[in-house]
Amino acid sequence: MAQRVTELLLAWGDGDLSALDQLIPLVHAELRQIAARCMARERPGHTLQPTALVNEVYLRLVDVERIRWQNRAHFLAVAARLMRRILVDFARSRGYQKRGGGGQTVAFDEALVVDIGRGHDLLALDDALDELARVDERQSQIVVMRFFAGLTVEEIAGVLEISPATVMRDWKLAKAWLLRELDRTSPEADG
Amino acid sequence: MTAARWQRVGDIYHAAMALSAEERRAYLDAVCGDDAEVRREVESLLAHAGDASGFLETPALELTGRALAARTTSWIGRRVGQYEVRSFIGAGGMGEVYLAHDTRLKRDVALKCLPPHVASDSSARGRLEREARLLATLNHPNIAAIYGVEQADGVTALILELVDGQTLGDRVFPMREAFAIARQLADALEAAHGKDIIHRDLKPANIKVTPSGTVKVLDFGLAKALTDEARQSVEVSTERTHAGAIMGTVAYMSPEQARGKALDRRTDVWAFGCVLYELIARRAAFAGETASDCLVRVLESEPDWARLPSDTPESIRRLLRRCLQKDPAARLHDIADARLEIDEALAPPSAASPPGTKRARRRFWRRVLLTSGLAVAVAAAGYIARSMVASPPVGVVTQLTFRHGNTGKARFTPDGQSVIYGAAWDREPYRLYVTRVGSAQSRAIDLPPADLLALSKQGQLAILPSRPAIDGWEPHGTLAVTALAGGAPRELYSDVVGADWSADGKTMAIVRRVDDGARLEFPVGTVIHQAPLILPPRISPDGTRVCFFVGYGELWIGERGGSARRLAPSLGRGGHCAWSPNGREIFVESGGGDMHMTLEAIELSGRRRTVASYTGMIQIEDVAPDGRVLIAAGTLRYSVYGSSEEGEREVPVFDATRVYHVSGDGKRALLWDNSPGAGKDRVFLGHMDGTPPVPLGPGAAAALLPDGKWAAVIGDGVSNARIRNKLTLFPIRAGTARTIDLPIELEPQHGSALGRTDWSRRAYEFSADGTRLLIPFGHASGRPARVYVYDLSGNSMKAITPEGVTGPAVLSPDGRFVAVNDGSQVRVYSVEDGKDRVLPGVAEPGYVAAWSSDGKSLLTIEQVADLARVFRRDIVSGARALVREIRVHEIAGVTLLDFLVTRDGQAYAYTKSIRLANLFVVDGLR
């Protein structure tokens, strides 16, 4: 039984449809919940942490009683990548492609602008993260795990097999790097 | 930049960050030297460090949700053609739905955004428009009208009839109402099919019932129009937005739909069957944890027909079976036939009786039973009638939670409008939730997993963090306090089992677990009672008294800072209490032996009265100042699991099976089932390999004889009366039963919850030659119980332990010694001369479970969280060694009982009790 479970976990890579199949509806539903609460002027703070969603999928896909800790760590890493994809896709899919020929007015379903702070947008961050990965793969992973999947410093430390202190240092540096990159590439910055 | 240089940049950056501005410059001068590239890199990063500190600290999920909210609200006020968007209604499966005002026709409509793949594709839009024109010709009172597709100012949206009311998924209906709804639904489908329009996506989420009771089917025919041909999928609806219940379209898909085949009107018939089933059974016909699980069930499993209430007419059952035929050729073809069946079921009309008459009361109780899902295990309708005899004036029941799992403690909030509760749903740990009474939704409170202990009138929460979802008899831990409004929990007291606040929020009563039992402190620091088991207390409204259970069945009250006395004995399974608002009575639940429980009110004088009767399991949680009662109601089921060659498997009989003995080779078990289905109080021989169990006869199970030919049962083997001073040997195959009269009374085994070694484990056992029987709990008339050994060949009964000692006990294979848990020691008694000695070695909490076949060691079991650790202890030296560890499933509401192992420690069996409960508010009980 433990063998099968390990194989299942290891078989996942980015884009494994069965894992996405589980996670997407949950994420979309939670997004709508959060949105509904915002519109009702409630504090969005009382939401499920993204890790709760991730855990939900984890429990469904995996035989709970035999899991060893390392496998869960691997799962978290994969799930974090999936969360990123799902959220970015969600923001993007609200959009559409301008079909050739100028003068077409912007449709109602324009891209969902997700303000992530300092005047930057989620989709721009997605691109910037790809750039960061070229410079420092681990820092990019840490950002994905923390920002998209809401994993704690300890959980990230466990997945990457480094110390929590190292995680925090990488996190800080990565954020500074990303902010610089975003400022540099943002439309207003065209010089 | 190379990796090494980047590493350097990082190191310098972090070091520089720790310095002040001036120190920084000097540091950089020193460490970067001539390396301008590195220095530039570090400096530009440092420049962003300040802004970066708060950057990305809010999770992306929340930010995206907020953006969605902002975008949604930004629609409000915009114009789409002649329609003015007024407000947001909700999120539909395909996009957001708004309330808009038709400025030309002066009416309110629903405006539905379209999925991106339609909005952006002109050919898809064209198709949609054609479809919409066709749908607009459907003019039927039960079909929500489509007014058109609006395209203006670069926007495309559907304009639909605005329907008031709740969807079918949002509430439960009594059976007659359910039929009335189904009839209107059938009517609607008939009209549409008559025009060759098929819905394709019928489900409770798109069927609404207006306040006046009119059914409106939404989104008729849109499924086809909006199918993304490229993706061949309709976006899954997420109306039920709590994690774990998102099945959307999948659960209502017909088998041919699931297989991607062509659809026709019979697809709607299938979906209709699913909806009707769900209306009356109160659960989906094909549910599953995941979408793929669901589809598998749709394709391969039958719905659980047993879940239909026992008073469901046979014609409706037939109708459901015909609608839910997997083969479309065998399915009901014409929805008109369904309508006719329902018409019949609705007639003859029974005039509504004025409230207060017996029949109305009976209908009310049926509603109570059905809404709480309590009637499930009952075999015959007659059983329900019997339990409704004592029925005082009754009120209204509101169901609060609807999930699969177990509720922990629940309390009304200070304003009485909401309820806070702990619950472990599905496979999650205990968490706290809040729900408004009358709303079907709960929301998790922003706290780490915990169960609720108490809630004060000032809004202070006392919680028990990290309570595992696996139930022990007593969850316990460190009590933490936090405010309802938010804030990090503050730890206060350790080893707490239960707690309560006084009305002024200044005093607490707590029950603390100690080595030899529990202590009740009221106020904290002053012990007013001590007992082996004390259940969570409640402080009276005036703050002077506290009520609490000692064990499961004895209600006590205590004075603040003073003494305690017993108020009512023998309350059966009860264990929960709540004060009436005037402080003169205490509400408790009692009974439970034969699945029949009563809500009672007990006065301070000790006088008792029945308030209400129930079939199934109930627990009283709280009473609001206005007299509304909060109860948890549900089902309790026992199942037996045992080890076998293929791993662990269930060895079930009916719904209330417990395992009493396992044969030496681990292949068979002696089981007892107490559910009506078994005939109650019956013993069975179970097989671990899955062969069906063999009924033996009435009585309480004792043990199997080692030769495999006989089973010993307490009782006379014939009557249902619980006879305790006889032992009957049933033959497993050939032979005649033999009854032996005994000079003492025997108690049947009640296994202990795993790990609670102060609960007597009363397992019977034969010596290897079958001549001696260990009786772990027997008593001479009027005397305290003790351990005995009975010699069948000489018909002699020998007392082994002193009076009052019945602790877990095991017999050596040669029948000459008995090992007993005595407090924190293991004592070995000689049967012949009665001498005893203590087993040397460190005392552990493990309980004795078996004596090895060679007589040289004992098997003991210790529980650590969800793990049963089986140890072997040498009988001479007392030294112990781990034999194996057995892990049990962590699922909400599970309690482990009766854990048994064979002499070699290789085979085992246990009883799992699964408690599923939901919360209800009952108004009008007096």
Side-chain angles (χ1 to χ4, degrees):
Chain A
M1 180 75 88
Q3 266 309 97
R4 236 181 346 111
V5 158
T6 314
E7 280 157 24
L8 177 72
L9 286 173
L10 293 176
W12 286 349
D14 236 347
D16 183 289
L17 293 176
S18 66
L20 266 185
D21 178 49
Q22 313 276 346
L23 202 47
I24 287 179
L26 291 176
V27 174
H28 284 196
E30 191 57 24
L31 282 172
R32 294 204 165 98
Q33 279 252 323
I34 296 171
R37 278 196 272 272
C38 286
M39 290 188 289
R41 301 209 192 293
E42 288 178 33
R43 266 186 351 118
H46 291 275
T47 61
L48 277 183
Q49 289 307 307
T51 26
L53 295 181
V54 158
N55 276 327
E56 172 84 24
V57 176
Y58 179 71
L59 288 174
R60 286 178 188 181
L61 290 173
V62 148
D63 191 3
V64 177
E65 74 171 49
R66 316 282 163 132
I67 293 320
R68 290 200 313 274
W69 188 78
Q70 291 95 319
N71 292 331
R72 183 167 180 273
H74 181 95
F75 172 86
L76 289 180
V78 170
R81 293 206 294 276
L82 292 179
M83 284 292 291
R84 173 184 174 185
R85 269 222 5 221
I86 294 171
L87 289 174
V88 167
D89 281 353
F90 188 85
R92 263 195 239 278
S93 77
R94 289 344 241 185
Y96 78 119
Q97 285 101 335
K98 279 198 169 107
R99 308 233 162 203
Q104 187 156 21
T105 49
V106 174
F108 229 120
D109 284 312
E110 56 220 13
L112 185 64
V113 173
V114 181
D115 176 11
I116 58 169
R118 322 267 355 141
H120 296 298
D121 169 69
L122 186 75
L123 298 180
L125 177 72
D126 191 43
D127 292 334
L129 267 174
D130 287 338
E131 284 303 315
L132 174 61
R134 277 190 253 281
V135 175
D136 189 326
E137 168 80 33
R138 192 175 77 192
Q139 285 186 13
S140 163
Q141 286 177 322
I142 290 174
V143 173
V144 171
M145 283 192 270
R146 196 155 157 82
F147 180 60
F148 285 98
L151 300 186
T152 63
V153 171
E154 286 74 25
E155 284 171 326
I156 297 173
V159 172
L160 296 175
E161 293 178 346
I162 55 180
S163 74
T166 310
V167 171
M168 279 309 291
R169 283 214 320 269
D170 271 7
W171 168 243
K172 288 179 182 151
L173 181 52
K175 286 199 299 176
W177 192 97
L178 285 169
L179 199 46
R180 185 184 73 179
E181 177 72 11
L182 286 166
D183 284 344
R184 191 176 67 79
T185 56
S186 84
E188 296 89 54
D190 279 342
Chain B
M1 178 172 290
T2 67
R5 285 171 77 70
W6 171 244
Q7 178 71 25
R8 197 150 169 258
V9 166
D11 290 341
I12 298 173
Y13 173 87
H14 291 297
M17 281 289 285
L19 305 170
S20 69
E22 304 84 39
E23 289 173 317
R24 215 172 269 177
R25 201 191 330 241
Y27 171 72
L28 288 178
D29 284 338
V31 86
C32 296
D34 289 335
D35 198 338
E37 190 197 2
V38 165
R39 189 188 180 118
R40 231 188 359 255
E41 190 70 9
V42 172
E43 279 180 336
S44 75
L45 286 168
L46 285 171
H48 286 83
D51 291 338
S53 67
F55 190 50
L56 301 187
E57 290 298 333
T58 314
L61 184 68
E62 190 176 317
L63 295 177
T64 311
R66 285 191 208 161
L68 182 62
R71 209 280 306 278
T72 305
T73 43
S74 74
W75 276 63
I76 295 168
R78 289 214 222 184
R79 261 185 94 104
V80 181
Q82 77 208 57
Y83 303 94
E84 237 175 48
V85 179
R86 289 272 168 90
S87 63
F88 176 69
I89 295 177
M94 297 175 263
E96 287 75 36
V97 182
Y98 298 83
L99 190 154
H101 187 72
D102 184 336
T103 53
R104 230 188 284 152
L105 296 179
K106 305 277 190 265
R107 63 179 177 184
D108 283 338
V109 299
L111 189 146
K112 191 164 194 154
C113 300
L114 296 183
H117 62 265
V118 175
S120 59
D121 180 356
S122 56
S123 66
R125 268 207 314 276
R127 226 181 23 248
L128 176 64
E129 277 167 32
R130 280 194 299 277
E131 198 68 31
R133 268 195 284 273
L134 176 61
L135 293 170
T137 66
L138 265 182
N139 198 355
H140 191 277
N142 296 123
I143 300 179
I146 176 169
Y147 298 140
V149 179
E150 192 62 36
Q151 210 185 297
D153 309 326
V155 159
T156 312
L158 279 172
I159 313 295
L160 308 161
E161 179 186 344
L162 185 66
V163 177
D164 203 8
Q166 294 176 295
T167 70
L168 285 194
D170 286 337
R171 55 170 286 207
V172 289
F173 299 90
M175 202 177 299
R176 277 194 79 78
E177 261 187 73
F179 291 161
I181 289 169
R183 195 206 177 284
Q184 294 179 63
L185 186 55
D187 224 7
L189 287 173
E190 195 181 342
H193 290 179
K195 294 205 161 139
D196 272 326
I197 296 175
I198 307 168
H199 192 295
R200 283 186 174 81
D201 192 22
L202 193 63
K203 56 197 174 188
N206 53 28
I207 302 169
K208 272 193 163 179
V209 182
T210 68
S212 59
T214 311
V215 167
K216 292 271 186 187
V217 181
L218 313 173
D219 297 344
F220 223 111
L222 292 180
K224 178 176 177 204
L226 294 170
T227 303
D228 180 350
E229 308 243 304
R231 281 173 4 198
Q232 277 301 300
S233 64
V234 177
E235 190 175 314
V236 172
S237 161
T238 51
E239 304 283 1
R240 295 274 271 303
T241 56
H242 45 255
I246 296 160
M247 277 303 106
T249 309
V250 175
Y252 307 93
M253 265 187 183
S254 63
E256 60 271 19
Q257 238 172 340
R259 293 206 161 92
K261 296 220 169 88
L263 309 180
D264 59 23
R265 55 189 65 187
R266 290 172 297 184
T267 302
D268 278 353
V269 171
W270 168 280
F272 171 82
C274 288
V275 171
L276 179 56
Y277 177 97
E278 196 166 323
L279 275 171
I280 49 186
R282 270 75 178 298
R283 81 189 253 139
F286 303 97
E289 282 195 357
T290 66
S292 22
D293 261 1
C294 241
L295 284 178
V296 166
R297 299 226 179 150
V298 164
L299 291 170
E300 292 175 12
S301 319
E302 284 298 302
D304 192 350
W305 299 117
R307 290 225 174 259
L308 294 174
S310 48
D311 56 346
T312 309
E314 186 55 37
S315 57
I316 298 295
R317 286 177 197 265
R318 248 193 338 261
L319 175 63
L320 280 171
R321 278 197 294 272
R322 289 176 67 200
C323 287
L324 294 175
Q325 282 286 336
K326 297 192 195 299
D327 179 5
R331 198 178 302 157
L332 186 80
H333 283 228
D334 211 319
I335 195 72
D337 291 333
R339 184 174 55 75
L340 293 170
E341 288 285 4
I342 298 177
D343 274 341
E344 276 213 24
L346 279 174
S350 87
S353 318
T357 62
K358 199 129 159 246
R359 198 158 66 181
R361 280 208 293 275
R362 197 170 295 147
R363 272 214 307 277
F364 168 76
W365 282 113
R366 180 166 298 145
R367 185 149 64 94
V368 172
L369 294 171
L370 291 179
T371 48
S372 61
L374 293 178
V376 171
V378 175
Y383 195 91
I384 299 180
R386 227 189 309 138
S387 68
M388 285 192 233
V389 169
S391 40
V394 292
V396 176
V397 176
T398 309
Q399 185 164 354
L400 297 184
T401 65
F402 298 82
R403 293 184 66 178
H404 177 93
N406 196 21
T407 55
K409 290 246 162 300
R411 294 279 182 272
F412 283 107
T413 51
D415 67 0
Q417 298 306 309
S418 300
V419 167
I420 305 247
Y421 63 95
W425 299 124
D426 300 304
R427 289 183 147 170
E428 294 171 35
Y430 270 95
R431 307 193 97 87
L432 295 192
Y433 297 85
V434 61
T435 178
R436 281 189 77 79
V437 178
S439 142
Q441 298 230 10
S442 292
R443 118 177 116 74
I445 294 181
D446 190 15
L447 283 170
D451 190 13
L452 177 67
L453 281 173
L455 176 62
S456 76
K457 300 232 178 309
Q458 293 71 31
Q460 289 272 84
L461 275 171
I463 63 178
L464 202 60
S466 316
R467 176 183 168 181
I470 244 209
D471 272 324
W473 290 109
E474 275 179 50
H476 73 109
T478 303
L479 182 153
V481 166
T482 177
L484 201 45
R490 206 179 71 225
E491 291 190 344
L492 281 188
Y493 311 116
S494 56
D495 290 311
V496 167
V497 165
D500 196 22
W501 302 94
S502 59
D504 62 8
K506 297 201 176 120
T507 324
M508 279 190 101
I510 64 173
V511 177
R512 262 202 229 266
R513 187 172 159 172
V514 292
D515 274 336
D516 47 355
R519 283 195 195 135
L520 173 62
E521 297 176 23
F522 179 44
V524 177
T526 308
V527 177
I528 67 167
H529 191 66
Q530 183 154 347
L533 178 64
I534 299 181
L535 299 180
R538 300 300 293 272
I539 299 181
S540 62
D542 66 5
T544 60
R545 296 191 184 85
V546 67
C547 67
F548 57 99
F549 273 84
V550 173
Y552 282 87
E554 286 195 2
L555 179 68
W556 285 57
I557 56 172
E559 308 284 321
R560 184 196 158 122
S563 61
R565 65 180 172 90
R566 193 173 70 182
L567 186 59
S570 346
L571 288 173
R573 280 196 77 85
H576 304 77
C577 46
W579 290 86
S580 64
N582 61 13
R584 285 207 277 268
E585 290 180 313
I586 300 169
F587 286 93
V588 295
E589 76 270 350
S590 68
D594 55 353
M595 311 271 268
H596 181 163
M597 293 193 81
T598 319
L599 192 61
E600 291 194 33
I602 304 181
E603 286 175 25
L604 296 185
S605 61
R607 209 169 72 140
R608 294 158 64 163
R609 66 183 179 89
T610 300
V611 175
S613 284
Y614 296 92
T615 309
M617 182 198 66
I618 59 154
Q619 284 177 358
I620 181 157
E621 295 290 340
D622 201 11
V623 179
D626 61 7
R628 284 172 304 149
V629 178
L630 180 63
I631 61 173
T635 57
L636 182 59
R637 211 188 133 224
Y638 293 108
S639 310
V640 171
Y641 289 79
S643 58
S644 75
E645 266 149 29
E646 288 94 37
E648 207 177 85
R649 66 183 320 146
E650 192 179 347
V651 189
V653 183
F654 288 91
D655 276 340
T657 317
R658 295 183 67 161
V659 60
Y660 278 49
H661 192 249
V662 178
S663 66
D665 58 7
K667 293 207 164 96
R668 282 163 315 157
L670 197 59
L671 308 172
W672 172 81
D673 197 298
N674 194 30
S675 63
K680 306 200 70 193
D681 225 7
R682 269 178 158 57
V683 181
F684 292 78
L685 179 72
H687 299 94
M688 301 309 203
D689 62 2
T691 319
V694 176
L696 293 175
L704 290 167
L705 261 101
D707 66 0
K709 297 191 177 135
W710 300 89
V713 165
I714 303 172
D716 67 359
V718 170
S719 69
N720 269 329
R722 288 182 173 193
I723 295 173
R724 294 283 182 248
N725 59 358
K726 293 186 203 288
L727 192 74
T728 300
L729 297 176
F730 279 110
I732 304 276
R733 272 187 259 278
T736 347
R738 191 181 125 209
T739 303
I740 305 166
D741 285 311
L742 302 170
I744 58 170
E745 305 230 329
L746 310 186
E747 279 303 312
Q749 182 209 25
H750 292 303
S752 60
L754 204 58
R756 289 287 308 199
T757 57
D758 50 353
W759 283 81
S760 302
R761 190 172 165 278
R762 311 160 187 175
Y764 288 72
E765 207 178 345
F766 281 97
S767 56
D769 62 4
T771 57
R772 286 188 176 166
L773 174 65
L774 173 71
I775 294 172
F777 193 101
H779 58 100
S781 175
R783 309 292 317 160
R786 66 214 289 196
V787 177
Y788 290 84
V789 168
Y790 177 65
D791 191 320
L792 278 91
S793 55
N795 194 15
S796 63
M797 186 72 73
K798 182 133 189 198
I800 303 295
T801 58
E803 280 189 341
V805 178
T806 61
V810 289
L811 183 68
S812 64
D814 60 6
R816 293 174 56 214
F817 296 96
V818 175
V820 183
N821 274 102
D822 183 1
S824 54
Q825 311 267 43
V826 174
R827 211 173 274 278
V828 180
Y829 292 83
S830 157
V831 177
E832 262 105 55
D833 60 22
K835 289 206 173 70
D836 67 277
R837 66 179 181 89
V838 171
L839 194 65
V842 178
E844 289 106 24
Y847 65 87
V848 292
W851 205 304
S852 66
S853 317
D854 63 8
K856 295 195 177 140
S857 57
L858 290 177
L859 287 184
T860 62
I861 298 183
E862 295 166 35
Q863 183 213 359
V864 178
D866 59 343
L867 205 53
R869 311 188 78 205
V870 182
F871 287 92
R872 186 180 299 285
R873 283 188 74 177
D874 186 279
I875 201 73
V876 172
S877 68
R880 73 171 194 166
L882 182 67
V883 171
R884 66 181 297 183
E885 289 183 331
I886 300 164
R887 193 177 284 276
V888 295
H889 285 275
E890 276 182 60
I891 296 179
V894 170
T895 305
L896 250 287
L897 311 167
D898 313 330
F899 202 94
L900 301 168
V901 289
T902 52
R903 289 191 194 281
D904 57 7
Q906 289 314 305
Y908 63 89
Y910 61 91
T911 303
K912 206 191 276 195
S913 108
I914 300 165
R915 175 183 176 269
L916 295 175
N918 269 294
L919 290 172
F920 300 81
V921 171
V922 187
D923 199 353
L925 290 175
R926 294 280 169 263

